Amino acid sequence: MILILNPNVGPDSATYQQLMAHLSRLQDIKLRVHREVGTEQTLTEIYLIGNTSAIPLEDMKRLPGVERVVRVSEEYRVLGRHKDDHRPSHFDYQGLRFGQDTLHVFAGLCAVDTREHVEQMVRTLRDHGQVCTRMGAYKPRTSPYSFQGHGKECLAFVFDLAGKYGIKVIAMEVTHESHIDEICEALHATGHPTGVMLQIGTRNTQNFELLKIVGRQKEFPVLLKRGFGITLSESLNAAEYLASEGNRKVIFGLRGVKTNMGEPHRNFLDFAHVPVVKRLTRMPVCIDPSHAIGLRTRGSEGILDIMHATAQGIIAGANMVLVDFHPAPDQALVDGPQALSLDELPLLLEDVQIVREAYEKRLARLEPQLARGSAQAS
Ligand code: PEP
Ligand code: MN
């Protein structure tokens, strides 16, 4: 059960103290407080953990300072959608809104190699009005002998160049807690020219200790990739680990699942799960068509399989597209076979726009029906 307090009921107020004194007398119920400090107001939620089925909702609603009460089901307590749950399905970062109703493209390098390639990439993004990118510095690789990413050595020039070309958010995978400290240090040393969205890769979706550490920091939002060999529910629970530790700025990433049924693609596309994740949780949903498809192959009409996959995710309501580009795909040190070239960026962006407009038309067509439905229900 969650008690959502009136905005600005601070921990020092008499109302709050009175409320907490009452709640602490509830038998076998543990309390967990989550405070979200926004620019205009501070929102406080109190989680009642334990067997709350015997606690009447109405009694809780009457307590001092309580605005609303939500009875949560067992699954995905923080990030899930529950009955009469009107908590937001978006968050703000670096002046951008990430929500279940927005769409951002994060085109960029799978792995940072040279400074020149980073500059070519971010300059091209700026020229096409883009403010987000992906840049891998820490690469989890199947073979220990493969290039593992430049790590902290490249962070300063990546952040400087991103800032120079107006990039506001870089999605960057971390595989160890020390990487978060290195990112913080490099951002500090360069004067915070850009922002970072920490990415948890598919190989670490159930690295629970890493999830807890990433969840405890609230500076950076997190993109959690679905685990490639586990159920959707297991991956959603992994996202809940982040939120249960305090960080709710979580985006859930679909990137295909591992099975040879997807061949000749690298993974089997799971973008039909976009609406499922949006129905079960309040997280924005990202699609990664590059790691799902893994190839630059084209359909018989000439459209890249990666663009078809992108379209499939967006028509289903995806909120973020993570996609690999490279100024010279044949020189890429990681995942060159799936990288699109820079002259393909405008094509992809145009495709994204066409399909997003189609999605919006699908929504608009539904609106009169939804209005009729709610009028009948009332
Ligand atoms: C990546 O995005 O660079 C990556 C390694 O993705 P995944 O974890 O989905 O394989
Ligand atoms: Mn990759």
Side-chain angles (χ1 to χ4, degrees):
M1 185 178 275
I2 311 170
L3 310 190
I4 298 152
L5 305 196
N6 289 318
N8 301 326
V9 174
D12 299 327
S13 66
T15 313
Y16 183 82
Q17 315 262 333
Q18 222 183 323
L19 173 68
M20 291 309 268
H22 180 92
L23 295 176
S24 59
R25 286 194 292 271
L26 293 173
Q27 285 225 323
D28 300 325
I29 297 290
K30 282 207 192 97
L31 304 178
R32 194 162 180 165
V33 180
H34 180 86
R35 198 162 283 123
E36 201 73 43
V37 184
T39 42
E40 276 152 32
Q41 56 186 22
T42 296
L43 287 175
T44 308
E45 291 173 4
I46 303 175
Y47 284 75
L48 272 51
I49 301 162
N51 184 6
T52 55
S53 54
I55 303 178
L57 215 67
E58 291 308 316
D59 287 5
M60 294 294 111
K61 275 189 195 160
R62 278 195 290 269
L63 292 177
V66 174
E67 186 184 89
R68 274 182 299 125
V69 182
V70 178
R71 206 183 270 290
V72 297
S73 53
E74 280 306 301
E75 293 246 283
Y76 329 129
R77 286 184 195 182
V78 182
L79 292 174
R81 283 186 183 279
H82 309 288
K83 192 171 174 300
D84 299 326
D85 183 1
H86 306 297
R87 291 175 300 159
S89 54
H90 61 77
F91 62 83
D92 295 318
Y93 180 60
Q94 290 282 103
L96 301 178
R97 172 153 293 202
F98 294 90
Q100 288 197 338
D101 55 351
T102 62
L103 177 62
H104 297 281
V105 176
F106 281 61
L109 303 179
C110 177
V112 171
D113 44 28
T114 67
R115 190 190 162 94
E116 289 66 36
H117 286 154
V118 173
E119 183 149 22
Q120 279 174 275
M121 185 73 238
V122 289
R123 189 193 301 122
T124 309
L125 288 168
R126 191 265 327 258
D127 291 348
H128 291 92
Q130 297 301 298
V131 292
C132 299
T133 189
R134 56 159 297 148
M135 291 280 160
Y138 308 96
K139 298 305 301 178
R141 304 303 302 282
T142 303
S143 164
Y145 308 111
S146 301
F147 173 62
Q148 307 280 314
H150 287 308
K152 68 175 178 185
E153 307 309 324
C154 69
L155 297 180
F157 75 75
V158 168
F159 296 160
D160 273 336
L161 285 169
K164 180 174 167 193
Y165 290 95
I167 299 292
K168 294 183 178 171
V169 187
I170 305 175
M172 182 174 275
E173 180 165 354
V174 291
T175 59
H176 189 266
E177 61 177 298
S178 60
H179 302 159
I180 309 172
D181 298 333
E182 290 170 6
I183 289 170
C184 285
E185 279 161 28
L187 279 174
H188 185 68
T190 52
H192 291 269
T194 189
V196 172
M197 180 181 290
L198 301 178
Q199 187 177 320
I200 308 265
T202 194
R203 292 159 188 81
N204 273 315
T205 308
Q206 285 191 315
N207 181 341
F208 299 117
E209 297 311 313
L210 180 65
L211 294 174
K212 286 186 209 165
I213 287 158
V214 172
R216 268 175 222 145
Q217 65 75 39
K218 291 204 207 163
E219 180 174 353
F220 307 111
V222 187
L223 167 63
L224 175 87
K225 295 275 200 91
R226 176 197 192 140
F228 55 27
I230 55 177
T231 63
L232 182 64
S233 154
E234 285 163 337
S235 291
L236 295 177
N237 267 303
E240 185 70 15
Y241 259 90
L242 295 163
S244 74
E245 292 293 335
N247 192 335
R248 288 141 174 238
K249 295 182 176 167
V250 184
I251 297 182
F252 189 79
L254 296 170
R255 43 83 70 213
V257 293
K258 211 176 182 66
T259 155
N260 61 3
M261 305 295 173
E263 286 171 6
H265 292 157
R266 184 175 179 184
N267 288 285
F268 197 50
L269 209 63
D270 54 351
F271 296 170
H273 279 169
V274 170
V276 179
V277 178
K278 289 171 80 171
R279 179 169 71 239
L280 294 175
T281 78
R282 296 175 294 112
M283 286 185 280
V285 181
C286 172
I287 50 158
D288 177 345
S290 304
H291 288 82
I293 301 295
L295 299 164
R296 298 177 40 79
T297 42
R298 290 173 191 273
S300 54
E301 78 294 82
I303 299 177
L304 285 157
D305 290 8
I306 287 177
M307 291 205 196
H308 276 301
T310 306
Q312 287 164 25
I314 294 175
I315 201 77
N319 307 111
M320 172 171 163
V321 183
L322 193 72
V323 51
D324 289 5
F325 275 79
H326 197 283
D330 52 348
Q331 289 172 29
L333 298 179
V334 185
D335 286 347
Q338 70 194 27
L340 306 188
S341 58
L342 297 189
D343 55 3
E344 284 166 326
L345 182 68
L347 279 179
L348 176 100
L349 294 174
E350 219 179 295
D351 223 29
V352 164
Q353 200 182 336
I354 292 169
V355 187
R356 177 70 181 178
E357 279 168 15
Y359 170 71
E360 280 165 2
K361 274 191 201 158
R362 296 173 72 205
L363 283 187
R365 206 181 39 152
L366 273 184
E367 264 159 26
Q369 282 179 31
L370 290 177
R372 259 203 313 278
S374 56
Q376 276 162 9
S378 62

